[in-house]
Amino acid sequence: MESSSSLKELKRLKRVNREELPWDALVIICKTLDFEDLFQFSGVCKSWRTFHKSNILSSKEPLLVRILFRGTTSISYSFITIPNQKVYDLKIMSSFPPTKFTYVRASSRYFIMVNNNNNSFLLFNPFTRIKRVINATFRVNSRRFDEYRALLAFEKSSDDKEFVLVVLCIRSRSLYVYQSRHYRWVTYSTVEPEIVTDFVVFNNIIYVVTNNANIGVLNLNSRNIQFLNLENNPKYYSSEIFWLVNCDEQLLMFDFFRRCAYKIDLSSMHYVKMKSLGDIALFYVFRRNCQALSNPERFGYERNYVYEVNATNQCIMYNWNNWNYIKYGWNWSNTNTYRPPDSKTDFYFFDWCFRHLKYEVDYSLVE
């Protein structure tokens, strides 16, 4: 029986029986549904909606976003769970043609996309179908996936009504921040050649890092970056990209070029070099974004390992300490989920999505 038919039958039984199904049964049901049916699942009744929010949306299992381009006009999106190689097709994304929209990244459960036709950003939540459109005051028109880096965060205690969108334009080296409470964009700048390379929300504050490994606080009230006076600064003075990660209430910084990891100790204001990743695994997209997961074994991943989508869009896995040694790698030709491109113009693009992460900022913490 098709999953959609199964869901309709379950809805009918729910109306007939008027009884609550045990959550163990709902877990079994969810395993048989595709992504579109999982979305409808939450609308069956209040108890199913509660289950969906507590188990489906809050799951910390990393999802791999797979975007398949067939030629220049056809595009398909999917979520993939790596350990069991299950694919969830996102049919709703077919309404965003590649000639009009360019994917940037997943953040706070939303896909951040550029609308090339009307100079705007589109925020789309594939889990709830909520859309938000932000008109840009600077030119955004790109077919390149590596043109922007972005972060979406919601204002604390605003019931998701107010949000902040941080956008880094790689080409112009400009950092733009949109605040919905003011309906405006603000440009943040540093002194060349020092530029911001990454940003993250930590303890309800947005932190940034530059190519010189300097870390600062993005002040949403005064339109500036307040750099921290940290000891033991690596001082790499180069064009490298440093990445900030919030993992288990720790602010971490990574340098993939030299394979160095640091804990940012804000109580002592020190960079503390880490000998290993410890009990976390990193999920990295080459020169695009980096996220981390603690106790990764519960989802079939290994601690102290990096799961990377490399420059050729292959997924590889390697131990952080043995960086010359790749334990094993895979691409989709080695799995049952692979669909070979029909021509040389067809290609895949990948990204990581952590559906449980919803960043929140607190304006009162930065004055």
Side-chain angles (χ1 to χ4, degrees):
M1 182 182 293
E2 296 291 335
S3 59
S4 58
S5 300
S6 300
L7 186 58
K8 290 178 181 178
E9 177 63 16
L10 288 168
K11 288 181 179 180
R12 187 189 68 79
L13 292 174
K14 181 70 179 180
R15 289 193 296 269
V16 172
N17 295 331
R18 301 288 182 181
E19 295 180 356
E20 299 290 336
L21 288 176
W23 279 30
D24 288 346
L26 296 182
V27 171
I28 297 174
I29 292 171
C30 286
K31 290 181 179 179
T32 67
L33 303 177
D34 62 25
F35 189 81
E36 299 301 318
D37 285 338
L38 282 175
F39 172 71
Q40 298 181 37
F41 175 96
S42 63
V44 172
C45 62
K46 183 178 180 180
S47 63
W48 287 33
R49 185 161 51 253
T50 301
F51 175 86
H52 184 268
K53 183 177 181 180
S54 301
N55 291 267
I56 306 301
L57 290 183
S58 63
S59 173
K60 295 184 179 181
E61 179 183 14
L63 295 173
L64 191 65
V65 181
R66 182 181 67 181
I67 306 173
L68 170 61
F69 292 84
R70 292 192 177 277
T72 59
T73 58
S74 178
I75 186 172
S76 64
Y77 288 75
S78 304
F79 280 138
I80 299 175
T81 58
I82 293 296
N84 59 18
Q85 294 288 297
K86 186 168 183 179
V87 181
Y88 297 95
D89 290 326
L90 303 177
K91 298 176 183 177
I92 186 65
M93 296 303 296
S94 62
S95 61
F96 304 105
T99 55
K100 184 177 180 181
F101 294 94
T102 301
Y103 175 92
V104 177
R105 73 163 295 186
S107 181
S108 289
R109 301 177 184 168
Y110 279 77
F111 286 172
I112 302 174
M113 309 177 76
V114 170
N115 188 325
N116 297 302
N117 287 10
N118 61 11
N119 208 65
S120 65
F121 285 92
L122 172 70
L123 309 179
F124 179 72
N125 190 326
F127 304 101
T128 63
R129 305 301 197 262
I130 295 176
K131 293 182 184 179
R132 303 171 189 263
V133 177
I134 304 120
N135 293 319
T137 55
F138 54 96
R139 182 170 178 77
V140 288
N141 190 341
S142 175
R143 299 292 192 271
R144 293 173 57 90
F145 290 104
D146 56 355
E147 183 71 22
Y148 301 100
R149 297 195 187 102
L151 170 82
L152 176 65
F154 292 89
E155 185 176 341
K156 192 174 182 181
S157 304
S158 72
D159 297 325
D160 292 357
K161 294 180 180 178
E162 305 296 344
F163 60 91
V164 175
L165 177 63
V166 183
V167 175
L168 174 65
C169 181
I170 305 302
R171 185 178 301 178
S172 67
R173 298 188 173 189
S174 298
L175 183 67
Y176 305 99
V177 178
Y178 177 84
Q179 300 182 43
S180 64
R181 57 154 58 179
H182 300 305
Y183 300 101
R184 68 187 179 196
W185 289 91
V186 174
T187 302
Y188 289 72
S189 61
T190 54
V191 179
E192 292 282 2
E194 186 168 30
I195 59 172
V196 171
T197 63
D198 194 29
F199 27 77
V200 72
V201 177
F202 178 70
N203 289 341
N204 303 123
I205 297 174
I206 300 176
Y207 287 86
V208 304
V209 62
T210 71
N211 58 322
N212 291 341
N214 288 319
I215 294 176
V217 172
L218 193 70
N219 193 322
L220 298 175
N221 297 313
S222 61
R223 306 185 184 184
N224 62 26
I225 300 175
Q226 300 171 344
F227 285 99
L228 306 179
N229 187 21
L230 293 167
E231 301 292 334
N232 302 333
N233 189 319
K235 299 294 183 185
Y236 283 137
Y237 297 111
S238 69
S239 58
E240 293 177 27
I241 299 177
F242 295 92
W243 303 95
L244 288 181
V245 172
N246 177 356
C247 184
D248 279 356
E249 304 304 320
Q250 295 185 97
L251 182 60
L252 309 174
M253 185 182 79
F254 297 97
D255 172 12
F256 281 88
F257 182 75
R258 290 184 172 85
R259 202 58 53 86
C260 295
Y262 300 87
K263 176 183 176 181
I264 311 304
D265 190 337
L266 296 177
S267 60
S268 64
M269 299 299 284
H270 276 74
Y271 292 83
V272 180
K273 192 169 184 179
M274 302 164 58
K275 295 181 179 179
S276 71
L277 300 181
D279 66 346
I280 71 172
L282 291 182
F283 297 83
Y284 175 56
V285 181
F286 180 74
R287 300 183 73 84
R288 290 186 54 81
N289 67 71
C290 179
Q291 298 180 83
L293 179 69
S294 61
N295 301 317
E297 297 93 337
R298 55 192 158 148
F299 296 115
Y301 298 94
E302 295 189 38
R303 62 180 62 193
N304 200 45
Y305 271 76
V306 179
Y307 294 83
E308 177 181 339
V309 178
N310 63 20
T312 60
N313 277 327
Q314 290 180 322
C315 297
I316 59 176
M317 170 187 172
Y318 53 88
N319 186 291
W320 177 263
N321 296 98
N322 301 320
W323 64 276
N324 283 324
Y325 170 64
I326 296 178
K327 182 177 181 181
Y328 66 82
W330 71 92
N331 59 31
W332 302 114
S333 61
N334 297 327
T335 73
N336 294 328
T337 63
Y338 177 75
R339 292 174 57 201
D342 294 330
S343 70
K344 294 182 179 179
T345 61
D346 299 342
F347 67 96
Y348 285 121
F349 174 79
F350 296 97
D351 193 17
W352 291 106
C353 175
F354 282 64
R355 59 190 142 171
H356 70 288
L357 293 180
K358 190 189 79 171
Y359 298 117
E360 293 185 333
V361 294
D362 189 341
Y363 281 79
S364 66
L365 296 178
V366 180
E367 299 294 341

